[in-house]
C-alpha cells in the first residue's frame, strides 16, 4: 500500500485492499495474479495500490541520537573529514548564539576540530563544513520481508533506492 505520495506505507491483505479500491479510496497500480470471484462480481487481485489520500506518518523523522548523527555523517568529522569512532557532537551555530539542537545544526566533529571551533560558528572559527547537515536520507525505511523478495518483483520499482 502506497501513500498518495507513492511512499510505501505497509503490506496489507487483499481483503483489506479490495474494499479500498471498491470505495474509490485507492487506485490499483499493479495487478497481482488472477482474480477473486464473488457471487456478484470478480475483482482483479491487487498487488500494489495507492491511496487517494495522505496518511500522516507519525514517525517520519528519526529520533536524533548521537549514534544516528554519527551514522548520518558516516562516522566522519564534518570539518576535517577524518573518519573516527571517537567523535563528539558539535552545534554548528553554538547554543549560546541561539543554535538549535536539530538535524540541521548538529554535526559530528573530532575532538581536535571541536576544540578548535570552541564556542564559535564555523565562519568565526575559519572552518568549513564538508556538507550541509540535514535529516538522514534513510529516515524512511521500508523493507520487504524476505519471503516476498523473490515473488513480488513488481514491488521493487516503488521502493526508495
Ligand atoms: Zn576533525
Amino acid at each position: 500500500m502506497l501513500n498518495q505520495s507513492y511512499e510505501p506505507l505497509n503490506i496489507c491483505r487483499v481483503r483489506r485492499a479490495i474494499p479500498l479500491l471498491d470505495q474509490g479510496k485507492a487506485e490499483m497500480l499493479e495487478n497481482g495474479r488472477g482474480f477473486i470471484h464473488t457471487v456478484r462480481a470478480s475483482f482483479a487481485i491487487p498487488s500494489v495500490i495507492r491511496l487517494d489520500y495522505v496518511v500522516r506518518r507519525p514517525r517520519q523523522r528519526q529520533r536524533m541520537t548521537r549514534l544516528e548523527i554519527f551514522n548520518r555523517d558516516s562516522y566522519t568529522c564534518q570539518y576535517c573529514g577524518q573518519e573516527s569512532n571517537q567523535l563528539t557532537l558539535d552545534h554548528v551555530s553554538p547554543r549560546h548564539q541561539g543554535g538549535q539542537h536539530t538535524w540541521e545544526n548538529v554535526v559530528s566533529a573530532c575532538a581536535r576540530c571541536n576544540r578548535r571551533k570552541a564556542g564559535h560558528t564555523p565562519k568565526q572559527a575559519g572552518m568549513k563544513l564538508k556538507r550541509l547537515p540535514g535529516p538522514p536520507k534513510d529516515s524512511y525505511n521500508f523493507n520487504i520481508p524476505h519471503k516476498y523478495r523473490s515473488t513480488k518483483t513488481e514491488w521493487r520499482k516503488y521502493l526508495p533506492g
Side-chain angles (χ1 to χ4, degrees):
M1 185 186 289
L2 307 179
N3 214 338
Q4 193 192 36
S5 59
Y6 290 89
E7 179 185 64
L9 285 174
N10 58 44
I11 297 169
C12 76
R13 293 185 179 282
V14 169
R15 68 162 178 262
R16 163 138 167 70
I18 285 179
L20 289 169
L21 294 168
D22 200 36
Q23 294 159 25
K25 291 177 180 168
E27 63 168 328
M28 180 160 66
L29 297 181
E30 296 287 333
N31 198 332
R33 283 139 206 171
F35 290 82
I36 288 179
H37 302 280
T38 68
V39 182
R40 289 180 297 125
S42 70
F43 300 94
I45 296 176
S47 178
V48 179
I49 66 169
R50 174 190 167 224
L51 292 176
D52 201 34
Y53 50 92
V54 176
V55 172
R56 291 222 163 269
R57 298 178 54 81
R59 280 193 58 215
Q60 206 141 25
R61 285 167 80 94
Q62 236 165 6
R63 256 163 54 83
M64 217 180 103
T65 61
R66 290 169 64 83
L67 282 181
E68 289 299 344
I69 288 165
F70 296 159
N71 252 320
R72 178 198 65 185
D73 297 340
S74 311
Y75 286 83
T76 305
C77 171
Q78 294 302 290
Y79 295 102
C80 70
Q82 184 154 357
E83 202 178 315
S84 164
N85 55 8
Q86 294 192 324
L87 292 165
T88 62
L89 291 185
D90 170 62
H91 289 92
V92 178
S93 177
R95 302 218 76 170
H96 67 88
Q97 292 192 34
Q100 304 280 305
H101 191 70
T102 58
W103 287 111
E104 291 79 8
N105 194 50
V106 180
V107 296
S108 313
C110 70
R112 217 179 104 236
C113 288
N114 208 332
R115 259 199 313 276
R116 186 179 149 204
K117 182 169 172 288
H120 302 105
T121 64
K123 201 176 167 193
Q124 291 163 349
M127 294 165 80
K128 228 179 147 191
L129 278 170
K130 292 276 172 196
R131 59 179 187 150
L132 221 57
K137 289 257 187 313
D138 60 343
S139 66
Y140 182 68
N141 276 314
F142 182 86
N143 293 305
I144 297 182
H146 190 262
K147 61 179 173 177
Y148 296 126
R149 275 172 198 259
S150 52
T151 55
K152 304 285 186 186
T153 50
E154 70 273 21
W155 290 0
R156 282 189 198 149
K157 63 180 166 207
Y158 299 97
L159 297 171

